Amino acid sequence: MLDFTNKYQNNLMRKLLIPLMLVFAIGCKQEPKKELTTQEIVDNSIADSGGKLFNDHKVTFDFRDKSYVSENVDGQRVFKRISDLDSTIITDVKRGNDFERYMNDSLVMVHDTMAVKYANSVNSVHYFVRLPYGLNDGAVNKELLGKETIDNKEYYKVKVTFDQQGGGDDFEDTYLYWFDIESFKPEYLAYDFHVNGGGQRFRKAYNERYVNGIRFVDYENYKPKNDGTDILEIGQLYNKGELELLSKIELKNIAVE
């Protein structure tokens, strides 16, 4: 009789425990991880790279044989490029949509066609140095293409295009950025271009350093070995060794005030 009672109690306990265990398991089940939006990825990347410090501070650096300055003047961002040619100092100044050239502090006239060319050249250098900050500009369109593995590491892959209004002379170009899924740092970028015969470039960031809170990197600059490749596939071309190294883009004498 006692043995029968124990068996009955054990069976009853099992029947009670099984539903309780199921309820506990369901209650402990973690909520699915929220998928980040493209904007959240870019915002996190900008915050990690210096955020508003890009606008609050004056930045100077040397690139190749020229010096560059980025600063706020009367609430407007001003980009400068300074070239020392023997006894002549040439200072190119891009302020908004305006361009000016000075030779030894004297303003000189520049034909409109050349002014556009010089302004684009100045803007291009500053644009890459300040990345990812410029990815929240008004003319920028961002699209998350999912995740992609480059060199055995997974990244968020973001496509960037530009509106014609406010997108500059190169608004037809397509850019790609690969953001680390943990730190959100942009470790690779690529773009196509249509001037001078067109082409594609792929850049790998290295030599990361922070100067007064702002992130700076240098780049290895690659291009496809073969013509006619799809810019969206350039990350996989890098993995397959189908890109060739063109140059290294190195910043010197960085100062943040």
Side-chain angles (χ1 to χ4, degrees):
M1 181 68 180
L2 182 61
D3 182 59
F4 174 79
T5 302
N6 288 337
K7 287 182 178 179
Y8 174 79
Q9 290 176 337
N10 289 338
N11 289 333
L12 181 62
M13 288 297 293
R14 287 194 201 98
K15 291 179 180 179
L16 290 173
L17 281 173
I18 290 173
L20 286 173
M21 291 172 66
L22 289 173
V23 170
F24 180 76
I26 293 172
C28 291
K29 187 177 180 180
Q30 293 183 345
E31 291 293 326
K33 189 175 180 180
K34 179 188 173 186
E35 291 295 326
L36 295 177
T37 66
T38 312
Q39 189 61 56
E40 288 172 330
I41 293 169
V42 171
D43 287 345
N44 287 334
S45 183
I46 290 174
D48 178 83
S49 300
K52 65 178 183 179
L53 296 178
F54 285 105
N55 270 346
D56 291 347
H57 291 68
K58 177 181 178 180
V59 176
T60 62
F61 60 91
D62 295 336
F63 174 55
R64 293 177 178 159
D65 59 346
K66 297 176 176 60
S67 297
Y68 291 81
V69 180
S70 171
E71 59 184 338
N72 266 327
V73 178
D74 297 328
Q76 188 174 37
R77 175 57 52 179
V78 177
F79 295 146
K80 297 179 181 179
R81 177 179 65 188
I82 304 168
S83 308
D84 187 352
L85 302 177
D86 298 325
S87 60
T88 302
I89 304 297
I90 299 175
T91 304
D92 292 326
V93 181
K94 185 179 186 299
R95 183 184 287 104
N97 294 323
D98 298 327
F99 174 82
E100 295 175 334
R101 167 165 283 196
Y102 295 84
M103 299 183 70
N104 291 337
D105 297 327
S106 297
L107 180 64
V108 297
M109 295 298 296
V110 180
H111 190 277
D112 289 346
T113 303
M114 295 307 298
V116 170
K117 180 179 178 180
Y118 294 146
N120 287 342
S121 179
V122 172
N123 188 74
S124 178
V125 173
H126 283 285
Y127 176 84
F128 285 110
V129 170
R130 289 162 58 83
L131 283 173
Y133 191 72
L135 298 183
N136 271 344
D137 289 349
V140 173
N141 306 301
K142 301 181 284 284
E143 178 187 357
L144 179 60
L145 300 181
K147 296 177 181 178
E148 185 170 51
T149 299
I150 296 182
D151 203 13
N152 299 316
K153 186 175 179 181
E154 194 172 42
Y155 297 91
Y156 291 114
K157 183 180 181 180
V158 173
K159 176 184 175 181
V160 167
T161 57
F162 302 90
D163 294 333
Q164 183 172 359
Q165 182 67 33
D169 290 339
D170 301 325
F171 71 91
E172 293 181 307
D173 296 350
T174 299
Y175 282 71
L176 298 173
Y177 296 88
W178 288 265
F179 297 91
D180 186 296
I181 62 173
E182 299 295 335
S183 71
F184 302 103
K185 294 177 181 178
E187 296 188 1
Y188 298 92
L189 68 91
Y191 60 96
D192 59 13
F193 58 95
H194 301 88
V195 298
N196 300 322
Q200 298 174 355
R201 295 291 182 267
F202 180 89
R203 294 187 179 185
K204 175 184 178 180
Y206 72 100
N207 191 25
E208 177 190 82
R209 61 274 202 205
Y210 283 79
V211 181
N212 284 346
I214 297 180
R215 176 180 181 262
F216 296 91
V217 296
D218 297 328
Y219 291 103
E220 294 177 352
N221 189 34
Y222 295 85
K223 76 167 187 177
K225 293 180 179 178
N226 301 310
D227 295 333
T229 57
D230 185 347
I231 187 64
L232 297 180
E233 301 299 325
I234 199 167
Q236 296 310 305
L237 294 179
Y238 175 79
N239 283 338
K240 297 174 183 177
E242 295 179 16
L243 304 182
E244 61 178 295
L245 181 64
L246 285 178
S247 61
K248 290 190 176 182
I249 299 169
E250 299 175 326
L251 307 179
K252 306 290 185 182
N253 304 318
I254 300 169
V256 177
E257 303 174 12

